[in-house]
């Protein structure tokens, strides 16, 4: 399942933009950027949905990747745009101040660097929270559909309330991606699936801490006989 999802994400999201960049044609590069957001966002939502099914011990299947991407593509595109635009703005600020020679430029660049890392700490929870919201784990009053504003707010609360935990998982995600990218084949075969599982694990651990999910069963403890019950 992880290999199938990862290969799909790599073939659909990575290969077309890579071909466009290799061609160095401005129109193709611009189309590749649009492709990443319009197609990559929904497909990544579907990947995190499959990871959620695996973590929930539900019944993950390959079709769930596409069905989830199709049902919630609008919010997935919007979330991908928010993540991408803010990341690009912060990166541009870092580059701008690093290339300037006035006093304090390095300090300002460092501050923007910390802001970018903190934003990525928030991004770690965005997709798992959006998936959890659509799965009914995080429900709004009256059963209203989830809003992106709530996803962003909840991710901020999680990142601020557990900065050490979040930093460890962010580092684990970045190291996993870097190691798989270094192998090339590993990125195509396992990249998307493993990264989605790592971020989903972090998100579910926080949901357990906040009481939205029950504590996982202790498989190392003694078996407990609940007995027979009539309902």
């Amino acid at each position: 399942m992880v290999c199938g999802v990862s290969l799909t994400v790599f073939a659909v999201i990575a290969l077309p933009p890579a071909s466009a960049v290799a061609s160095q044609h401005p129109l193709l590069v611009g189309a590749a950027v649009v492709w990443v957001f319009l197609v990559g966002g929904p497909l990544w939502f579907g990947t995190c949905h499959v990871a959620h099914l695996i973590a929930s011990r539900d019944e993950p299947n390959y079709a769930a990747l596409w069905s989830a991407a199709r049902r919630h593509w609008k919010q997935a595109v919007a979330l991908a745009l928010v993540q991408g635009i803010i990341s690009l703005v912060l990166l541009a600020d870092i580059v701008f101040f690093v290339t300037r020679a006035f006093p304090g430029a390095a300090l300002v660049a460092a501050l923007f660097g910390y802001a970018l890392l903190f934003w990525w700490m928030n991004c770690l929870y965005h997709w798992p929270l959006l998936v959890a919201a659509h799965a009914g784990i995080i429900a709004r009053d009256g059963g209203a559909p989830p809003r992106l504003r709530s996803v962003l707010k909840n991710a901020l609360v999680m990142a601020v309330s557990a900065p050490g935990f979040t930093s460890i998982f962010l580092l684990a995600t970045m190291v996993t991606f870097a190691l798989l990218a270094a192998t090339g084949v590993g990125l195509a075969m396992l990249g998307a699936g493993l990264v989605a599982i790592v971020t989903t694990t972090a998100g579910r651990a926080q949901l357990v801490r906040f009481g939205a999910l029950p504590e996982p069963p202790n498989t190392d403890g003694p078996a407990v006989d609940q007995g027979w019950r009539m309902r």
Side-chain angles (χ1 to χ4, degrees):
M1 180 65 63
V2 172
C3 290
V5 170
S6 299
L7 281 172
T8 301
V9 172
F10 183 81
V12 175
I13 298 179
L15 290 184
S19 301
V21 172
S23 69
Q24 297 183 349
H25 194 287
L27 290 179
L28 290 178
V29 173
V33 174
V34 175
W35 175 270
V36 168
F37 287 110
L38 291 184
V39 178
L43 199 57
W44 185 249
F45 177 88
T47 303
C48 292
H49 175 69
V50 172
H52 166 78
L53 294 177
I54 294 173
S56 303
R57 293 175 175 83
D58 204 338
E59 294 185 0
N61 58 85
Y62 181 77
L65 169 70
W66 295 101
S67 61
R70 177 181 55 81
R71 288 197 308 269
H72 308 297
W73 70 272
K74 288 184 179 180
Q75 281 195 326
V77 170
L79 180 56
L81 284 170
V82 171
Q83 289 183 333
I85 291 173
I86 294 180
S87 296
L88 287 175
V89 169
L90 291 174
L91 281 170
D93 290 330
I94 294 170
V95 172
F96 175 81
F97 286 105
V98 164
T99 55
R100 296 300 180 270
F102 62 85
L107 177 60
V108 177
L111 292 176
F112 277 111
Y114 284 119
L116 179 62
L117 287 176
F118 181 72
W119 172 243
W120 285 348
M121 289 169 63
N122 282 258
C123 292
L124 183 74
Y125 298 119
H126 287 163
W127 296 102
L129 283 174
L130 185 59
V131 171
H134 283 290
I137 296 174
I138 307 174
R140 292 179 58 198
D141 295 336
R147 296 181 300 182
L148 278 186
R149 182 167 55 183
S150 298
V151 170
L152 298 175
K153 182 184 69 176
N154 291 334
L156 176 62
V157 171
M158 288 181 174
V160 171
S161 64
F165 174 87
T166 306
S167 299
I168 291 173
F169 267 91
L170 178 61
L171 179 62
T173 303
M174 296 172 68
V175 169
T176 300
F177 184 84
L179 291 176
L180 293 174
T183 64
V185 176
L187 181 62
M189 292 291 295
L190 298 171
L194 285 184
V195 170
I197 288 175
V198 171
T199 56
T200 298
T201 300
R204 289 178 68 85
Q206 291 281 53
L207 289 173
V208 169
R209 188 168 72 91
F210 283 98
L213 283 175
E215 290 280 351
N218 183 12
T219 56
D220 296 329
V224 178
D225 187 2
Q226 298 277 341
W228 293 89
R229 295 182 179 179
M230 295 291 292
R231 295 187 179 181

